[in-house]
Amino acid sequence: MSRTGRVERTTKETSVLVEIDLDGTGKTDISTGVGFYDHMLDQLGRHGLFDLVVRTEGDLHIDTHHTIEDTALALGAAFRQALGDKVGVYRFGNCTVPLDESLAQVTVDLSGRPYLVHTEPEGMAPMIGAYDTTMTRHILESFVAQAQVALHVHVPYGRNAHHIVECQFKALARALRYASEPDPRAAGILPSTKGAL
Ligand SMILES: [Mn+2]
């Protein structure tokens, strides 16, 4: 059974296509028009071992906000779609990833309920290329709202903005992979006593 999601989302501000295969090999084809964001989504596919296509055409003549946000919303929706009934998956995942001087700790629960807890060091450089570093939290909020997961992302320390953001995406990728992977001891079992996720 394939675990794939495909979401097309078009508004007056953006046009987004996301395709994801949870059981992929980390093959990515990403183009949002925001170079650093492409680099981050590439990390998500590669380290999550998700095959990921992202094509966004947004109103970059205004700024990168809608482009980044709407892509994250579509990504969350596609991820949720690909998860299907969540029968037989681990449900919980966590990963800690260093990137030189920076560290990210990510924990996820495929709970069906959106919740984000996010902390980052104060005083980060405001921009990485055209990427506004305050958007990282907004990306996570948008993803969480659509994917309907509980997500805790902490960067207890770090200095370089590129590293601080990138280690979050790498750890997120791995945590999502671990949570969504089939648990060989739980084939056919829904990982909830409630009977629904
Ligand atoms: Mn990098």
Side-chain angles (χ1 to χ4, degrees):
M1 196 186 71
S2 83
R3 299 194 303 160
T4 59
R6 184 178 195 282
V7 170
E8 277 186 282
R9 186 183 189 281
T10 300
T11 68
K12 287 177 181 168
E13 296 170 342
T14 62
S15 165
V16 185
L17 166 70
V18 173
E19 293 174 341
I20 190 168
D21 182 347
L22 299 185
D23 303 302
T25 57
K27 192 173 52 169
T28 62
D29 176 3
I30 315 276
S31 104
T32 67
V34 183
F36 182 75
Y37 194 34
D38 289 356
H39 181 39
M40 293 304 98
L41 297 176
D42 201 21
Q43 305 297 329
L44 196 69
R46 180 62 49 86
H47 296 290
L49 289 182
F50 307 133
D51 288 345
L52 185 61
V53 174
V54 177
R55 293 212 187 86
T56 303
E57 287 179 33
D59 54 1
L60 294 174
H61 60 284
I62 295 177
D63 68 3
T64 60
H65 192 111
H66 303 137
T67 296
I68 290 174
E69 175 180 9
D70 293 357
T71 300
L73 288 167
L75 185 64
F79 181 76
R80 176 69 193 87
Q81 195 185 105
L83 277 177
D85 60 14
K86 303 179 197 169
V87 168
V89 301
Y90 279 101
R91 175 177 169 179
F92 307 103
N94 66 80
C95 190
T96 299
V97 169
L99 208 174
D100 296 349
E101 86 297 341
S102 299
L103 187 82
Q105 302 161 322
V106 174
T107 306
V108 66
D109 176 9
L110 309 178
S111 60
R113 297 187 306 276
Y115 206 100
L116 176 70
V117 180
H118 182 240
T119 61
E120 266 180 337
E122 298 288 316
M124 282 174 69
M127 301 296 291
I128 306 166
Y131 180 91
D132 173 345
T133 57
T134 66
M135 287 304 288
T136 306
R137 180 168 302 167
H138 203 31
I139 291 164
L140 298 174
E141 285 168 347
S142 303
F143 177 82
V144 158
Q146 290 294 317
Q148 298 184 355
V149 300
L151 181 65
H152 294 230
V153 177
H154 296 293
V155 181
Y157 49 82
R159 270 190 315 276
N160 179 274
H162 188 124
H163 291 167
I164 288 171
V165 178
E166 184 166 340
C167 63
Q168 292 178 70
F169 275 90
K170 282 177 166 157
L172 174 63
R174 248 341 136 82
L176 290 175
R177 171 182 155 194
Y178 294 152
S180 62
E181 263 178 355
D183 177 350
R185 289 190 58 198
I189 299 171
L190 184 73
S192 169
T193 55
K194 198 168 59 183
L197 266 182

